[in-house]
Amino acid sequence: MIKRLVLILSLLCLASVLMHQSSQLNWKLQLFEERACLIKLFKHSKPKHTNVVFLKTHKTASSTMQNMLFRFAERHNLTVALPKNDFQFAYPSYFTSALVDPRTKPPNIITNHMRFNKKELEKLMPPDTVYITTMRETSAMFESLFVYYYTHSQSFHRVPQKSLEAFLDSPFKYYRSYEGDSMYARNCLTFDLGGDKDGYELDYAQRLAAKVEETFSLVMISDYFDESLILLRRLLNWDLEDIVYFKVNMRSEKAKKTISPELSAKIRAWNSIDAYLFDHFNASLWRQIEAVGLECVAKEVQLLRKAQEKLMRTCFGSEKPRLNSASKIKNKAFKPWQPVDVDIVGYELSPDLSAEDRKLCAKLIIPEVQYTNVMRMAQVQRHLKQYFSSSLL
């Protein structure tokens, strides 16, 4: 009996020691992972990658991404390829290098709206260019397209009383595939990627997804924008400050339509190629996040959001920005483009900002059209300065 008790006590002691060692091992492993995460965040073994093509897709937080890339280009004295006298590359036509303002060549970055054409982009961009784009959950994206382009797309404008439900009940009653603005009304994401918006077969969707996967090093998901930015930062070896942002080109809450599960199913059926692409690349994004480490990405997201909150306090005097309807914003430099009968909101800065802070904050809130013009003027001036300097030599 005594021998059994001794044996049991010995086993209990051994189990306790093993559990303690296991706990220490897990703690050390967790500490190692956290340190590795922080080292990756703050120390760079490679220089920042500066040659980037960002395919700016419609209604996918792409204007926010464009703003970020413009700011990055300015801080690092990079050249951005811009359209000739416009803010889009002749969309909805396919992109060609001839559409680029020659005073903005050779470029490091290209980010204005286009219909994707890789062969033409390869003529323009350096060989080590990284291609990225962004996607959004299909029903949310289509609802935004319907509201935003209701007046500008004939397929939508035919629908009485701005009824998204009526359109989806009988889409072919309103949709004309041959019309120049029909891309907003069906598989717009597919169209932006250079694909066939009227494709519907699963085999086509699979082939297009494979082509996108082969071309783009990162497909961001706007529904998980911050997590996507962490992957982008790691891909390009950028700093945290390079990915800080304020959302731009937003609708007010009253300008949004509620999407029921039934309506969402109809949207996905009508935009079946877009829906396949989103599902495919949303899953791909989370595989990449898991490969980095969920906790590690979450920590970086937390740091990003803290940096944004700090900036908001600087620019607006509080953690929440001062949003106002575009129609009420007096400063034209900050007034977003506003479609007919769609309430787009923009920002108003704190009146007490220093000159340095105002310059910083202004770049975070300037809308796409105005920022494109600012970038064009700056790059033309730089081009002329270089031209005259070389002429004098």
Side-chain angles (χ1 to χ4, degrees):
M1 186 68 179
I2 294 174
K3 288 183 179 180
R4 285 183 179 179
L5 285 171
V6 170
L7 179 61
I8 291 171
L9 287 172
S10 299
L11 288 172
L12 287 172
C13 289
L14 178 61
S16 177
V17 169
L18 289 173
M19 286 175 66
H20 177 70
Q21 288 180 340
S22 176
S23 176
Q24 281 192 321
L25 181 62
N26 288 336
W27 177 80
K28 288 179 180 178
L29 182 61
Q30 183 180 359
L31 184 63
F32 173 79
E33 288 174 349
E34 287 182 2
R35 285 177 177 172
C37 181
L38 291 172
I39 288 170
K40 183 68 177 176
L41 179 58
F42 295 113
K43 291 188 177 181
H44 300 296
S45 57
K46 299 179 182 178
K48 294 180 184 182
H49 196 90
T50 56
N51 298 324
V52 177
V53 166
F54 173 65
L55 177 62
K56 189 176 188 295
T57 51
H58 285 83
K59 315 314 296 174
T60 59
S62 61
S63 292
T64 300
M65 266 299 302
Q66 181 190 54
N67 178 282
M68 188 186 304
L69 288 164
F70 278 166
R71 286 185 286 114
F72 180 84
E74 285 193 292
R75 282 197 306 277
H76 295 85
N77 199 30
L78 304 175
T79 300
V80 178
L82 297 173
K84 296 177 179 177
N85 304 315
D86 197 4
F87 66 97
Q88 297 186 357
F89 290 104
Y91 187 86
S93 299
Y94 278 105
F95 173 82
T96 68
S97 56
L99 296 169
V100 177
D101 188 328
R103 297 167 299 181
T104 63
K105 294 180 181 179
N108 303 101
I109 292 172
I110 187 166
T111 177
N112 289 66
H113 272 305
M114 68 171 73
R115 190 174 186 201
F116 191 69
N117 184 343
K118 187 180 179 184
K119 287 183 179 180
E120 286 292 316
L121 285 163
E122 286 176 335
K123 293 180 184 178
L124 178 72
M125 301 300 296
D128 66 342
T129 295
V130 171
Y131 289 77
I132 58 176
T133 190
T134 184
M135 298 182 182
R136 182 183 179 185
E137 192 278 318
T138 308
S139 57
M141 184 182 75
F142 191 75
E143 178 272 332
S144 183
L145 285 164
F146 183 85
V147 173
Y148 201 82
Y149 292 108
Y150 177 80
T151 301
H152 297 273
S153 174
Q154 296 175 75
S155 296
F156 289 153
H157 199 59
R158 292 186 182 96
V159 184
Q161 300 178 340
K162 300 182 180 180
S163 173
L164 179 57
E165 291 81 1
F167 177 86
L168 291 165
D169 282 341
S170 304
F172 283 111
K173 183 178 178 180
Y174 310 104
Y175 175 74
R176 309 287 185 273
S177 64
Y178 55 82
E179 290 175 342
D181 51 20
S182 63
M183 64 280 175
Y184 300 124
R186 191 179 197 192
N187 288 314
C188 187
L189 175 64
T190 297
F191 184 88
D192 288 351
L193 287 160
D196 178 9
K197 63 183 172 58
D198 294 299
Y200 60 90
E201 294 180 356
L202 177 60
D203 178 62
Y204 176 74
Q206 291 172 335
R207 284 186 282 112
L208 181 59
K211 189 175 180 180
V212 171
E213 203 159 49
E214 181 183 344
T215 301
F216 291 86
S217 297
L218 177 63
V219 176
M220 302 171 63
I221 300 296
S222 65
D223 309 74
Y224 305 104
F225 193 60
D226 290 352
E227 290 84 355
S228 296
L229 285 177
I230 301 308
L231 295 184
L232 176 73
R233 189 197 68 74
R234 286 167 168 264
L235 173 68
L236 301 179
N237 210 45
W238 286 6
D239 294 320
L240 190 67
E241 66 174 354
D242 295 322
I243 60 170
V244 174
Y245 68 93
F246 293 161
K247 292 180 181 179
V248 296
N249 197 28
M250 299 175 291
R251 289 177 295 157
S252 66
E253 289 302 316
K254 67 180 182 181
K256 299 177 182 178
K257 294 180 179 291
T258 302
I259 304 296
S260 66
E262 294 78 14
L263 198 60
S264 177
K266 289 181 180 180
I267 290 173
R268 286 176 58 86
W270 173 244
N271 299 275
S272 59
I273 308 299
D274 279 7
Y276 182 90
L277 291 173
F278 172 79
D279 291 346
H280 178 91
F281 286 101
N282 183 46
S284 174
L285 178 87
W286 284 100
R287 285 196 297 271
Q288 293 174 71
I289 290 172
E290 288 174 358
V292 172
L294 291 172
E295 289 187 7
C296 191
V297 172
K299 289 180 188 299
E300 291 194 37
V301 166
Q302 189 177 21
L303 288 172
L304 172 61
R305 290 174 180 171
K306 284 182 178 179
Q308 286 171 320
E309 288 171 4
K310 184 177 179 181
L311 261 181
M312 285 183 183
R313 286 193 294 272
T314 297
C315 298
F316 309 115
S318 65
E319 290 184 5
K320 291 187 177 180
R322 300 182 181 191
L323 292 172
N324 206 347
S325 173
S327 60
K328 296 179 181 179
I329 295 175
K330 296 179 181 179
N331 191 334
K332 292 182 179 180
F334 303 143
K335 185 189 285 287
W337 180 76
Q338 190 169 21
V340 178
D341 297 330
V342 181
D343 189 31
I344 304 298
V345 294
Y347 297 93
E348 291 185 309
L349 297 174
S350 171
D352 303 323
L353 291 176
S354 67
E356 184 179 354
D357 285 342
R358 180 167 290 276
K359 184 178 179 181
L360 167 68
C361 298
K363 290 297 173 67
L364 282 153
I365 68 171
I366 186 171
E368 173 184 359
V369 176
Q370 292 93 317
Y371 210 160
T372 297
N373 289 332
V374 167
M375 294 293 290
R376 181 180 287 111
M377 289 177 63
Q379 293 186 154
V380 167
Q381 288 175 358
R382 189 172 68 185
H383 175 83
L384 290 173
K385 186 177 180 180
Q386 290 172 348
Y387 173 77
F388 286 117
S389 296
S390 61
S391 298
L392 293 171
L393 294 176

